[in-house]
Amino acid sequence: MFFDFFKKKEPQTNHTQERCVEAYDDIASVATFFKNETGVTFDKQTSILKNKLVTFCKQRDICSFGKLLEKVSFDKTLKQELIDALTTNETFFYREFKQIEEIVTLVKNSGARAEILCAPCATGEEPYSIAIALLEAGVAPSRFHITGIDINQDAINKAKEARYKERNIRNLSAAVLQRYFRQEDSVYALHESVKSQVSLKVLNLFDPSFKSIGKFDFILSRNMLIYFDKETKLKAKEILESLRKNANQAIFFGHADLF
Ligand SMILES: C[S@@+](CC[C@H](N)C(=O)[O-])C[C@H]1O[C@@H](n2cnc3c(N)ncnc32)[C@H](O)[C@@H]1O
């Protein structure tokens, strides 16, 4: 009895193991959650969504889609990881270059400083393309600034690093590569002179805080609306239009972003 008093106490453990039956069936509930959060719809691609989600859950010992939804309701990190896993960030330098040329002409002709928004910017190739094209056209760095936003944290981190592989810079000429990148083996690292022209933020277009981002002379929103249904496209268009300095200036959408 006396010695029992000096014995170390066992840590209090909860021996009632959480019971969780593996259930990866209710794909619709996750698709609905994701659409409400991001606007992205997986309408005809539920099998792609299911494969991605099952892998996502198994990697994190989450045994059902129900549990996943429960966890993301209070775990912001997990929610961001889910958004990063399910959004598609395909992009490259000088994509749909005609529009970029159009913006360069508009900026040159305006004679004033231009604030430009790229929503979304994915891994940065689009805002950096505009910066390079403006610098190439002889527009002074003090005459423009570009803001890039994207819902995907991982993509924004990569945009801030600005280190690109061959396939992302495939449209750039040798002269442009030479002027604005430092080649390190198979990686092309963008010069600070271009990076400093661009500010990058993780933002959801549908978040109420998005509208306080400011007003812009030129707005690009390319290849995001393709993931939205018609109603969501119109909602996105309305939000973007509210950020224009000049209500007559059209928004630059991608050619596939049909309404
Ligand atoms: C295919 S990329 C387009 C990138 C670039 N604009 C281009 O055309 O090359 C689509 C991007 O939209 C982003 N996205 C999807 N829903 C979004 C939302 N609600 N708010 C902000 N970005 C979103 C994704 O994370 C993804 O990086």
Side-chain angles (χ1 to χ4, degrees):
M1 273 287 276
F2 177 78
F3 290 107
D4 277 356
F5 180 78
F6 290 101
K7 260 189 187 169
K8 261 193 178 167
K9 275 205 170 149
E10 288 264 311
Q12 290 281 310
T13 51
N14 182 2
H15 292 292
T16 47
Q17 274 278 331
E18 215 182 314
R19 225 181 114 256
C20 191
V21 181
E22 208 172 90
Y24 301 123
D25 302 318
D26 189 9
I27 193 78
S29 62
V30 191
T32 304
F33 165 81
F34 202 68
K35 188 188 163 212
N36 290 342
E37 283 293 323
T38 67
V40 174
T41 169
F42 282 86
D43 252 5
K44 293 165 193 113
Q45 295 167 307
T46 41
S47 66
I48 298 177
L49 177 63
K50 185 163 183 175
N51 287 343
K52 284 187 177 182
L53 277 175
V54 171
T55 309
F56 182 90
C57 287
K58 286 190 170 169
Q59 282 168 344
R60 291 163 179 79
D61 283 334
I62 299 170
C63 67
S64 71
F65 291 154
K67 264 268 170 275
L68 173 67
L69 289 180
E70 192 187 310
K71 279 177 186 276
V72 292
S73 69
F74 62 84
D75 185 338
K76 282 189 177 155
T77 309
L78 184 69
K79 184 167 143 189
Q80 186 63 56
E81 283 173 10
L82 183 68
I83 289 170
D84 290 0
L86 297 185
T87 43
T88 307
N89 316 120
E90 169 61 16
T91 183
F92 47 91
F93 278 89
Y94 281 16
R95 184 178 197 177
E96 298 186 48
F97 190 60
K98 280 231 166 311
Q99 288 184 334
I100 295 180
E101 282 181 318
E102 211 178 306
I103 290 174
V104 169
T105 308
L106 288 167
V107 173
K108 278 187 100 170
N109 292 345
S110 82
R113 182 181 153 88
E115 291 293 339
I116 303 166
L117 174 68
C118 284
C121 68
T123 40
E125 287 87 329
E126 185 175 279
Y128 291 141
S129 292
I130 299 166
I132 291 173
L134 285 165
L135 294 172
E136 281 291 282
V139 179
S142 58
R143 284 259 334 267
F144 69 94
H145 189 77
I146 306 164
T147 301
I149 70 98
D150 202 284
I151 200 172
N152 187 307
Q153 171 84 65
D154 203 32
I156 291 291
N157 291 346
K158 286 187 179 131
K160 286 183 178 169
E161 279 179 32
R163 292 166 61 78
Y164 297 100
K165 302 236 170 80
E166 197 94 38
R167 70 183 185 88
N168 301 84
I169 50 93
R170 62 185 181 268
N171 284 349
L172 300 181
S173 69
V176 164
L177 285 175
Q178 169 83 32
R179 274 196 283 280
Y180 302 103
F181 292 81
R182 193 177 58 254
Q183 191 176 355
E184 297 165 359
D185 297 322
S186 59
V187 171
Y188 294 80
L190 189 65
H191 286 180
E192 196 49 47
S193 59
V194 182
K195 286 171 77 178
S196 61
Q197 295 296 123
V198 176
S199 309
L200 298 156
K201 292 188 184 94
V202 181
L203 271 182
N204 180 350
L205 184 92
F206 298 109
D207 195 290
S209 68
F210 180 72
K211 282 196 176 175
S212 53
I213 188 173
K215 298 272 181 190
F216 297 86
D217 300 288
F218 304 106
I219 299 176
L220 298 91
S221 182
R222 307 194 301 172
N223 304 300
M224 171 175 71
L225 269 49
I226 42 173
Y227 302 104
F228 298 168
D229 64 16
K230 194 169 177 195
E231 196 192 339
T232 315
K233 281 181 194 199
L234 293 171
K235 209 162 119 192
K237 185 168 176 266
E238 204 182 297
I239 293 169
L240 291 163
E241 282 175 348
S242 74
L243 303 181
R244 289 179 299 181
K245 280 187 192 169
N246 170 2
N248 295 322
Q249 179 58 56
I251 312 261
F252 292 84
F253 292 106
H255 294 125
D257 297 317
L258 300 171
F259 285 93

